[in-house]
Amino acid sequence: MDPSGSLSFSIDKNRVGWLTFDRPGSSQNILSAAVLDELDHLLSDLESRIANGQMVALVLQSAKPKGFIAGADVREISAVASAEEGRRASAAGQRIFSRVERLRVPTIAAVQGVCLGGGTELVLACDYRILSDSPDTTIGLPEVRLGILPGFGGTVRLPRLCGIQNALGMILTGKPISARRAKRMGLADRVAASHRFEDDVRIFVRDVAHGKVKPGGFKKTLGQRLLEDTPPGRAILFAMARRGVLKETGGNYPAPLRALETVRATYTAKPQAAYAIEARALGELAATEVSRSLVRVFLLSQGARKAVPEEQLDSRRPVERAAVIGAGVMGGAIAQLIASRDVPVTLKDINQEALDSGMRHASALLKKAAAKRVFTSEQASLKFALITGTLAYEHLLDVGLVIEAVIERMPVKQGVVHDLEMHLDRHAVIATNTSSLSVTELASAAIHPERVIGLHFFNPVHKMPLVEVVPTAETSSAALARAFGFVLDMGKTPVIVADRPGFLVNRLLAPYLNEAGFLLEQGTSVGDIDRAMTSFGMPMGPCRLLDEIGFDVAEHVSREMSTAFGERLRSSGVIELLRGEGRLGRKNDRGFYLYESGKETGPDPALKGVLRRDGSPSGANEIRERCLYAMVNEAALALQDEVVAGPDAVDLAMIMGTGFPPFRGGLLRWADRVGLQKIVTRLSEMETEIGSRFKPAPRLLDLVRDGESFTDSA
């Protein structure tokens, strides 16, 4: 066997074969075309050994301590040029996995660590599955998140093994599940303790070989059989699932609907016909623009992890204990995030009432996560126990990284930095969660400015994937590596941003939100503005977003943007007007919308008597052009200012930090598809008709002149 390959095979004295996946030079195994070809050739040898009586069982395992198989090679998915090419690739994988399924000895998948996509489909082709109970062990089919569906037999085998409802729960959401959950739904035959996993695997294999274990699967109740195994029941089940998918996706993502239809069509079909339906569906989805966009977003997120050299990340001091200064909503949420990743954290404030509120907020977030089965109630309690509340700076000496999240006033923040340096280890990193203030100016108050960096989390912290990492000219490479690695450890996506006003996301959001204000002044309604943008794919409209941000925060950021960029980012004045009415947004149940018991009840009709009207309402197309083209223009200006490394970073940050619709591939990829010439022409028209804030950016004009685009020239 090729020693440079990803597979190795051996037979022990008990005639048990051990097939080991171990991709050279990587912490995870992937099922690339080369690995599948390697497996295909190896299966010929295994079939011969089995025919000769040399083997009584086969175990598939991984040499990676935290990963079984992380799925297919995503770059190969992105390279699929046509539906037929995708269909052939799917059929090839199906054929190889069917060979595994047909082996004439029991096959056992021993899964420890991450098992996703094609790895899960390989596991499904085995007769038995034993999973480690380690928290690192998760199993799932995330293909819909790449705009495709499981194409190596997953849509056929999983429903038959685990039932339609359990299978749809995995396939349509793409969310991985724990080993315990896999056992309950029949996907795992046994769950073994991680500390004795190898021993338990050998015991399980012995029991299988001696006929003491029979293949499992999900045991349906009478009600489940009536729903899943009768034509009328399945009609009801699939109709309900379809309504749920449309509600969740708005019809913008074809993969979940196609996956649902594929499961419906294949559930009662013979295997050969079922696999053909699946392969055709995968091929057609892989060739869509939506899939190309989602694959691009995935690759961008993976690339973002490499912005700091791997050797620096590997040599960094890990953060074994952290601290958060300021127990407001953001402080409590950041402390909860840190504790949820099993890192002890100290939450400090100068006010006991504020501290108690921050602790309650952190506790509520953990309980909510437990209610959603992210982890158990017992685990939530243990994680909350990792948060220590205090009013003093003592006991911070062993903290590796501290995040200040106090009020957005420079003198206050500088005072916190000064005080922190008196109580921290010399290697500790001081991070600021400021959304708009200069990190460089903040660091000027430090004795050791090289340890200061910006880590800008987004609200709500537990949902928003992005963290803007903002080093200054004096931030040391060690501090950058430690802070960057910490963001990765927290499960977030880091984007390195220059220390410029508004950083990136807030700077690009400013014209978008400001334009909503100008549209309101003109006479366009809150509902029309928000519907125009949600129908485009935004998770919420700009008015609703301002309610979430809070009018006090929005007003502060708006002043900062106006001071830094002048007339171009001048606020419309709507927020200031509504603030004068005592409105703060969701935080006091009165903003553009009204709220009751935390739930939105609709736009406030009283706004009609508050907002002045200087023109006529705009239609949905004009709303989108004004809000989005202004944002594209500001992105071009930010690129001129070298705020981020390039257009890819803009697209990733806007998706992860604002919810810009991933199916569109990012703000600048979308702009390229619209056509930069069209955008420049419309900006020039709006500059004449509306005002100078729409003046096209030089970078945008240069791209049009040279016949280039943002993402092709990245």
Side-chain angles (χ1 to χ4, degrees):
M1 187 170 298
D2 182 2
S4 65
S6 293
L7 301 180
S8 62
F9 175 74
S10 63
I11 298 179
D12 65 21
K13 62 182 180 181
N14 297 315
R15 292 190 297 158
V16 173
W18 297 82
L19 194 165
T20 304
F21 288 81
D22 190 9
R23 184 186 182 202
S26 175
S27 61
Q28 289 284 356
N29 297 310
I30 61 170
L31 286 176
S32 64
V35 173
L36 285 171
D37 188 58
E38 192 179 350
L39 175 60
D40 197 22
H41 283 86
L42 177 59
L43 285 168
S44 298
D45 178 56
L46 299 184
E47 289 164 348
S48 176
R49 290 174 184 270
I50 292 168
N52 293 330
Q54 297 177 25
M55 196 163 57
V56 297
L58 175 67
V59 179
L60 284 73
Q61 63 178 359
S62 167
K64 309 297 184 187
K66 292 189 176 182
F68 182 72
I69 296 174
D73 188 336
V74 177
R75 294 188 182 278
E76 291 180 358
I77 298 173
S78 69
V80 172
S82 67
E84 175 57 22
E85 184 180 337
R87 187 202 65 77
R88 288 197 303 268
S90 174
Q94 291 170 343
R95 178 186 62 78
I96 295 168
F97 285 10
S98 291
R99 291 185 72 184
V100 173
E101 188 176 45
R102 291 194 301 267
L103 289 175
R104 297 174 64 184
V105 295
T107 51
I108 303 102
V111 178
Q112 190 166 26
V114 174
C115 179
L116 298 174
T120 299
E121 293 182 278
L122 177 58
V123 162
L124 287 167
C126 295
D127 299 315
Y128 303 89
R129 290 151 290 277
I130 177 170
L131 275 60
S132 161
D133 69 354
S134 166
D136 294 323
T137 299
T138 56
I139 185 166
L141 293 167
E143 284 84 353
V144 293
R145 298 186 175 191
L146 297 176
I148 56 175
L149 50 67
F152 293 163
T155 65
V156 178
R157 292 190 177 96
L158 186 62
R160 300 182 188 197
L161 178 69
C162 301
I164 296 173
Q165 293 175 88
N166 284 328
L168 291 180
M170 291 183 66
I171 294 171
L172 299 184
T173 67
K175 295 178 181 178
I177 61 174
S178 67
R180 297 291 180 191
R181 171 67 179 144
K183 179 70 167 63
R184 287 195 298 273
M185 60 184 275
L187 179 52
D189 295 283
R190 185 170 297 179
V191 175
S194 58
H195 66 274
R196 59 169 190 271
F197 185 66
E198 293 182 7
D199 291 338
D200 279 2
V201 168
R202 293 186 179 277
I203 293 170
F204 183 67
V205 171
R206 183 192 62 199
D207 290 346
V208 167
H210 291 167
K212 295 181 180 180
V213 181
K214 299 299 180 185
F218 182 64
K219 309 302 180 186
K220 298 176 184 177
T221 65
L222 175 60
Q224 288 166 331
R225 291 200 300 273
L226 289 172
L227 190 61
E228 298 195 3
D229 297 337
T230 66
R234 285 195 296 273
I236 294 171
L237 191 160
F238 285 113
M240 291 174 60
R242 181 179 176 81
R243 285 196 294 271
V245 168
L246 287 172
K247 181 180 179 181
E248 184 70 23
T249 67
N252 291 319
Y253 296 85
L257 285 174
R258 190 64 183 272
L260 180 64
E261 174 59 26
T262 301
V263 172
R264 187 198 65 77
T266 61
Y267 188 66
T268 56
K270 292 182 179 180
Q272 185 174 355
Y275 293 140
I277 292 170
E278 180 187 79
R280 184 168 61 253
L282 181 134
E284 291 173 1
L285 286 171
T288 63
E289 201 58 57
V290 169
S291 178
R292 297 187 199 284
S293 293
L294 294 176
V295 168
R296 176 175 183 262
V297 173
F298 174 84
L299 293 173
L300 290 182
S301 68
Q302 294 299 300
R305 302 171 66 89
K306 301 174 183 177
V308 171
E310 189 173 352
E311 58 270 18
Q312 289 185 26
L313 289 177
D314 290 342
S315 62
R316 67 187 165 97
R317 291 169 175 263
V319 176
E320 297 177 351
R321 186 177 186 87
V324 178
I325 312 300
V329 171
M330 286 298 290
I334 294 170
Q336 179 271 336
L337 169 70
I338 296 169
S340 73
R341 307 295 288 193
D342 296 322
V343 175
V345 56
T346 299
L347 179 61
K348 182 198 175 297
D349 206 286
I350 58 173
N351 179 280
Q352 185 64 53
E353 185 177 347
L355 180 61
D356 292 342
S357 176
M359 294 291 285
R360 284 195 300 271
H361 184 51
S363 175
L365 289 171
L366 288 166
K367 288 177 180 177
K368 186 180 293 186
K372 293 183 177 181
R373 297 185 178 181
V374 177
F375 32 69
T376 67
S377 295
E378 181 182 3
Q379 288 172 327
S381 297
L382 292 172
K383 291 174 188 295
F384 183 67
L386 294 173
I387 306 175
T388 302
T390 183
L391 299 176
Y393 277 110
E394 283 73 20
H395 312 300
L396 295 186
L397 188 60
D398 59 345
V399 166
L401 181 142
V402 59
I403 300 170
E404 72 78 14
V406 302
I407 190 169
E408 287 281 283
R409 293 178 185 169
M410 183 61 75
V412 177
K413 288 182 178 290
Q414 288 181 324
V416 169
V417 169
H418 177 269
D419 292 343
L420 279 170
E421 285 199 299
M422 302 299 104
H423 297 89
L424 294 174
D425 176 81
R426 63 189 181 91
H427 296 293
V429 173
I430 300 175
T432 174
N433 185 54
T434 183
S435 59
S436 59
L437 299 180
S438 167
V439 181
T440 300
E441 186 178 348
L442 175 64
S444 68
I447 300 170
H448 297 286
E450 69 277 2
R451 65 158 70 181
V452 179
I453 194 169
L455 289 183
H456 180 209
F457 291 81
F458 290 80
N459 190 33
V461 174
H462 65 291
K463 289 184 178 180
M464 300 303 289
L466 180 70
V467 176
E468 289 180 317
V469 180
V470 191
T472 72
E474 294 191 71
T475 302
S476 69
S477 59
L480 173 59
R482 198 172 200 188
F484 191 92
F486 175 78
V487 171
L488 293 175
D489 292 343
M490 293 299 103
K492 298 296 185 181
T493 300
V495 171
I496 295 180
V497 180
D499 186 20
R500 306 277 194 275
F503 307 137
L504 179 69
V505 170
N506 281 346
R507 176 171 172 178
L508 269 58
L509 270 180
Y512 173 78
L513 298 176
N514 283 348
E515 208 54 42
F518 288 120
L519 285 161
L520 287 167
E521 288 182 342
Q522 174 187 304
T524 310
S525 72
V526 167
D528 284 349
I529 293 170
D530 280 359
R531 278 190 295 273
M533 297 317 305
T534 54
S535 66
F536 174 79
M538 298 296 282
M540 63 181 68
C543 299
R544 175 68 186 278
L545 179 57
L546 282 163
D547 274 8
E548 294 291 330
I549 292 170
F551 290 178
D552 51 345
V553 175
E555 188 177 34
H556 168 77
V557 174
S558 179
R559 282 198 301 268
E560 294 288 335
M561 295 295 96
S562 180
T563 300
F565 299 106
E567 182 66 18
R568 188 178 78 248
L569 293 188
R570 176 182 63 84
S571 173
S572 68
V574 165
I575 294 298
E576 185 178 357
L577 176 66
L578 296 182
R579 276 267 282 158
E581 278 219 324
R583 297 171 186 266
L584 292 176
R586 178 184 277 277
K587 65 180 65 177
N588 75 340
D589 295 332
R590 293 180 68 227
F592 292 110
Y593 294 83
L594 295 177
Y595 302 86
E596 188 174 325
S597 301
K599 293 185 178 180
E600 177 213 310
T601 59
D604 185 355
L607 286 175
K608 293 180 180 178
V610 176
L611 298 174
R612 67 180 188 272
R613 298 173 183 273
D614 296 335
S616 58
S618 295
N621 188 59
E622 183 179 351
I623 292 168
R624 285 192 284 264
E625 285 184 342
R626 286 176 61 170
C627 291
L628 294 171
Y629 289 6
M631 194 155 50
V632 170
N633 203 42
E634 194 61 38
L637 291 164
L639 288 172
Q640 286 175 207
D641 293 343
E642 299 182 337
V643 174
V644 287
D648 285 351
V650 171
D651 282 350
L652 182 64
M654 295 307 290
I655 289 170
M656 298 295 186
T658 73
F660 190 90
F663 71 88
R664 297 191 183 277
L667 175 68
L668 299 184
R669 173 57 67 92
W670 168 78
D672 286 343
R673 291 197 188 117
V674 170
L676 299 189
Q677 178 64 72
K678 177 181 178 180
I679 292 175
V680 165
T681 299
R682 186 67 184 119
L683 284 169
S684 297
E685 291 172 352
M686 290 191 288
E687 180 187 7
T688 301
E689 297 166 3
I690 301 172
S692 61
R693 64 181 181 273
F694 289 104
K695 182 179 181 180
R699 172 74 174 267
L700 201 50
L701 293 171
D702 289 346
L703 289 172
V704 169
R705 181 198 63 211
D706 297 336
E708 296 179 344
S709 62
F710 282 114
T711 51
D712 287 343
S713 62

